[in-house]
């Protein structure tokens, strides 16, 4: 778990994991940057981390009664975006951080959704959403955000891609340790240039710090009012804190991404010392030459079935005294799934379109191999007929046979938290084959790359983690596009690396 040593403590999640306590209400969540990532790795496709607490996986769409909910785990870091999920136990220090960086393949799958969803959830804020609410009040509370926002590096490009494509009526996020709401108009609100710099963009509709969208619930307050009631907590992880301190170099700092597509990475500046000059490239053997550029994938028109044009964004604060961490909402579903049963209590079910997408992309998932490359994005025009074929398979084999309900089949896999062991142990956790993932892969008819023989796991344990890179993690942890606080890890040792699962 990526948490500075001084903040590591055991919480109460281990009581829910062990069964000593049970969550009173069905709880759905996505992963962030201070999670027990080795535990969530077992549930890549989603699953129960404890009774009544459901993890949405690296990316997924599920249905809760009439609601259709899309989730994206992780935080944005451009230099890992196009890499495979190469992290596998035992982890080195690089793996502990990169394992929660969102990957293009997972975003690519979400971008294939062509029908309306009701709710979107991400840990990181969608990039640029700060300008669509009370940004003056936000910067008064979080003064370090302003420089990143004006540079275009605050928040997640991946979350923005998904939000702009799926356009749900509601989008929820966390990560920034403050309550903030905004309204996103997908019709394309005009932007104005301020301070004479092309990357200093502020929506003209928010130039006075207000939103006039009818029916929108936007909190407008002065700087003084924004700070009222906030109390500094010495035990709270600073957004800038990191195990490595200031390790890293500016060469790997976050780069603004504005108009590049979801499978593109930002161009490095000409002063980047990692760039090899062209005259030196010409002297290299042919084997060092860059591969020939691929033709861009054929696009498809925006999905006609996605009709919503306004997304209401809401982020809440940490669960601490005098903080705004809770809000009740009544959501009116608009998705096609809204015709489903409204009988309460609502139950979780698989999403037909998402299962089809999962089948199409199953063979592209690569685990534990840093040297491998993710298969190229072939574009929506290529994937669409494949997904339609798989939707017919899901309809015939799962929908018609009544197998779409997500089973409440949580099982304990790792030992529960043992106070005698504590959270100070440096021992690597074990990797387990989660029975939920096994059953899901069997249900959908895909290979389960998360299963591994005990002999292979022992071989990996003896070999130990690979050597850490010299980059030092890219500076202070992942920028505010990828920095975060102590949400409270789920898993082994809670806010620390202890053997049992607990928080």
């Amino acid at each position: 778990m990526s948490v500075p040593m001084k903040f590591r403590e055991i919480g109460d999640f281990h009581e829910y994991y062990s069964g000593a306590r049970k969550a009173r209400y069905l709880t759905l969540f996505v992963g962030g940057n201070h999670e027990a990532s080795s535990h969530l790795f077992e549930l890549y496709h989603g699953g129960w981390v404890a009774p009544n607490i459901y993890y949405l996986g690296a990316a997924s769409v599920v249905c809760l009664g009439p609601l259709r909910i899309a989730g994206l785990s992780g935080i944005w870091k451009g230099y890992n975006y196009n890499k495979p999920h190469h992290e596998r136990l035992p982890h080195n220090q690089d793996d502990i951080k990169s394992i929660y960086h969102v990957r293009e393949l997972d975003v690519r799958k979400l971008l294939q959704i062509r029908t309306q969803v009701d709710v979107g959830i991400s840990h990181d804020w969608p990039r640029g959403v700060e300008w669509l609410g009370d940004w003056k009040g936000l910067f008064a509370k979080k003064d370090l955000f302003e420089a990143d926002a004006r540079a275009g590096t605050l928040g997640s490009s991946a979350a923005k891609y998904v939000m702009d494509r799926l356009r749900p009526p509601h989008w929820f996020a966390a990560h920034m340790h403050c309550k903030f709401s905004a309204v996103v108009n997908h019709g394309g609100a005009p932007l104005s240039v301020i301070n004479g710099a092309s990357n200093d963009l502020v929506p003209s509709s928010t130039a006075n710090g207000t939103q006039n969208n009818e029916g929108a619930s936007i909190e407008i307050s002065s700087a003084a009012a924004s700070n009222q009631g906030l109390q500094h907590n010495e035990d709270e992880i600073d957004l800038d804190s990191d195990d490595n301190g200031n390790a890293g170099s500016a060469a790997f700092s976050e780069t603004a991404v504005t108009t590049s597509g979801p499978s593109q990475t930002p161009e490095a500046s000409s002063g980047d010392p990692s760039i090899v000059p062209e005259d030196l490239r010409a002297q290299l053997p042919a084997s060092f030459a860059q591969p020939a550029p691929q033709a861009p994938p054929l696009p498809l028109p925006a999905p006609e079935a996605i009709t919503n044009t306004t997304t209401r964004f809401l982020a809440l604060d940490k669960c601490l005294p005098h903080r705004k961490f809770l809000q009740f909402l009544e959501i009116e579903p608009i998705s096609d799934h809204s015709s489903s049963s409204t009988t309460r209590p609502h139950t979780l079910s698989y999403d037909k379109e998402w299962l089809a997408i999962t089948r199409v992309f199953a063979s592209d998932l690569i685990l534990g191999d840093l040297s491998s490359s993710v298969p190229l994005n072939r574009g929506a025009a290529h994937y669409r007929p494949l997904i339609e074929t798989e939707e017919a398979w899901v309809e015939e084999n799962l929908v018609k046979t009544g197998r779409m309900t997500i089973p409440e089949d949580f099982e304990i896999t790792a030992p529960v938290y043992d106070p005698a062991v504590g959270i100070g142990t440096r021992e690597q956790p074990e990797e387990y084959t989660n029975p939920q993932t096994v059953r899901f892969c069997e249900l959908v008819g895909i290979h389960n790359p998360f299963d591994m023989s005990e002999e292979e796991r022992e071989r990996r344990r003896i070999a130990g983690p690979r050597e850490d890179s010299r980059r030092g993690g890219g500076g202070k942890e992942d920028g505010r596009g990828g920095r975060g606080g102590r949400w409270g890890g789920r898993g082994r040792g809670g806010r620390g690396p202890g053997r049992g699962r607990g928080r």
Side-chain angles (χ1 to χ4, degrees):
M1 182 181 296
S2 179
V3 177
M5 284 295 295
K6 67 177 181 179
F7 291 116
R8 294 180 182 178
E9 62 183 47
I10 193 67
D12 60 2
F13 178 78
H14 65 95
E15 298 178 31
Y16 295 90
Y17 177 77
S18 68
R21 300 171 67 181
K22 181 178 180 180
R24 294 185 179 183
Y25 303 99
L26 174 63
T27 303
L28 277 63
F29 75 96
V30 294
N33 56 318
H34 292 300
E35 316 290 1
S37 299
S38 58
H39 178 24
L40 299 188
F41 173 84
E42 301 172 12
L43 297 170
Y44 170 84
H45 295 290
W48 303 98
V49 297
N52 229 23
I53 304 177
Y54 189 85
Y55 170 52
L56 289 171
S60 72
V61 178
V62 299
C63 300
L64 176 59
L67 285 176
R68 214 169 163 228
I69 303 169
L72 175 65
S73 291
I75 62 171
W76 172 264
K77 199 58 184 172
Y79 61 76
N80 280 327
Y81 183 59
N82 290 308
K83 293 180 181 178
H85 287 281
H86 59 80
E87 304 87 358
R88 192 151 197 172
L89 287 168
H91 294 323
N92 63 13
Q93 290 302 309
D94 291 340
D95 295 337
I96 291 173
K97 295 185 181 301
S98 66
I99 193 171
Y100 53 73
H101 294 163
V102 66
R103 303 300 160 88
E104 185 273 334
L105 180 64
D106 301 320
V107 174
R108 189 191 309 180
K109 292 161 63 178
L110 282 171
L111 296 181
Q112 306 310 311
I113 293 290
R114 296 186 60 80
T115 53
Q116 186 70 59
V117 300
D118 299 298
V119 175
I121 305 174
S122 62
H123 181 70
D124 218 345
W125 292 14
R127 182 156 294 180
V129 75
E130 68 275 9
W131 296 115
L132 304 178
D134 179 17
W135 51 273
K136 289 184 178 180
L138 175 66
F139 297 159
K141 291 184 291 185
K142 299 283 188 175
D143 59 305
L144 295 178
F145 286 6
E146 184 169 2
D148 287 349
R150 294 187 182 279
T153 60
L154 185 69
S156 168
S157 293
K160 176 175 172 56
Y161 299 149
V162 177
M163 180 181 69
D164 288 349
R165 178 69 170 182
L166 303 189
R167 303 202 303 265
H170 297 273
W171 190 280
F172 303 115
H175 192 50
M176 302 297 190
H177 299 177
C178 63
K179 183 177 182 180
F180 182 76
S181 56
V183 172
V184 182
N185 290 311
H186 297 288
L191 296 175
S192 60
V193 179
I194 63 174
N195 295 342
S198 61
N199 63 340
D200 286 343
L201 298 177
V202 178
S204 58
S205 60
T206 62
N208 61 357
T210 63
Q211 282 285 326
N212 296 319
N213 306 82
E214 186 176 355
S217 175
I218 300 295
E219 301 172 358
I220 306 299
S221 59
S222 65
S226 298
N227 286 299
Q228 186 176 7
L230 288 180
Q231 297 185 6
H232 179 66
N233 188 298
E234 295 296 336
D235 293 328
E236 181 177 354
I237 294 181
D238 192 292
L239 284 171
D240 293 330
S241 67
D242 184 24
D243 292 302
N244 298 326
N246 293 325
S249 66
F252 294 95
S253 62
E254 181 67 66
T255 303
V257 178
T258 54
T259 59
S260 61
S263 62
Q264 296 173 326
T265 52
E267 293 291 335
S269 64
S270 58
D272 191 333
S274 65
I275 300 301
V276 179
E278 289 300 323
D279 57 337
L280 292 181
R281 284 183 180 275
Q283 302 176 36
L284 294 173
S287 59
F288 283 81
Q290 293 183 350
Q294 300 289 326
L298 293 175
L300 283 177
E304 294 181 0
I306 298 180
T307 58
N308 182 57
T309 59
T310 301
T311 297
R312 285 166 170 77
F313 171 82
L314 177 65
L316 295 176
D317 205 341
K318 290 173 65 67
C319 186
L320 292 172
H322 311 293
R323 305 287 280 267
K324 298 177 180 179
F325 60 84
L326 182 64
Q327 182 161 329
F328 291 93
L329 296 174
E330 184 171 326
I331 298 175
E332 186 70 28
I334 65 171
S335 65
D336 290 340
H337 199 72
S338 61
S339 60
S340 301
S341 173
T342 58
T343 303
R344 295 176 181 269
H346 296 318
T347 57
L348 277 179
S349 62
Y350 296 115
D351 182 81
K352 175 182 172 180
E353 188 176 12
W354 181 255
L355 292 186
I357 292 170
T358 299
R359 281 176 55 85
V360 168
F361 286 92
S363 62
D364 290 347
L365 179 61
I366 300 171
L367 299 179
D369 185 2
L370 182 60
S371 64
S372 63
S373 297
V374 177
L376 291 175
N377 185 349
R378 295 174 177 268
H382 170 82
Y383 297 123
R384 174 52 24 199
L386 301 178
I387 294 171
E388 290 173 349
T389 299
E390 297 303 341
E391 279 193 86
W393 184 96
V394 174
E395 175 70 24
E396 189 66 27
N397 292 275
L398 302 181
V399 176
K400 291 183 178 180
T401 58
R403 304 169 68 192
M404 294 294 283
T405 299
I406 296 178
E408 297 182 10
D409 56 355
F410 168 74
E411 293 184 38
I412 291 177
T413 52
V416 299
Y417 172 67
D418 183 356
V421 175
I423 62 174
T425 178
R426 298 285 184 173
E427 184 179 352
Q428 290 265 354
E430 300 287 340
E431 179 180 313
Y432 300 91
T433 296
N434 197 296
Q436 296 180 71
T437 300
V438 172
R439 288 189 285 269
F440 175 85
C441 292
E442 291 174 348
L443 175 74
V444 183
I446 60 176
H447 172 62
N448 180 14
F450 298 89
D451 191 18
M452 181 183 289
S453 68
E454 292 303 320
E455 292 76 16
E456 176 62 15
R457 285 176 177 151
E458 180 64 12
R459 186 193 66 78
R460 292 179 62 87
R461 186 191 68 78
I462 294 174
R466 62 183 176 84
E467 184 178 356
D468 287 309
S469 71
R470 296 182 179 181
R471 186 181 58 207
K476 288 187 177 182
E477 174 51 29
D478 295 333
R480 259 171 297 277
R483 265 186 279 216
R486 189 181 60 186
W487 190 94
R490 279 158 292 275
R492 302 177 181 90
R495 299 191 188 101
R499 289 295 305 281
R501 288 207 168 124
R503 172 186 157 209

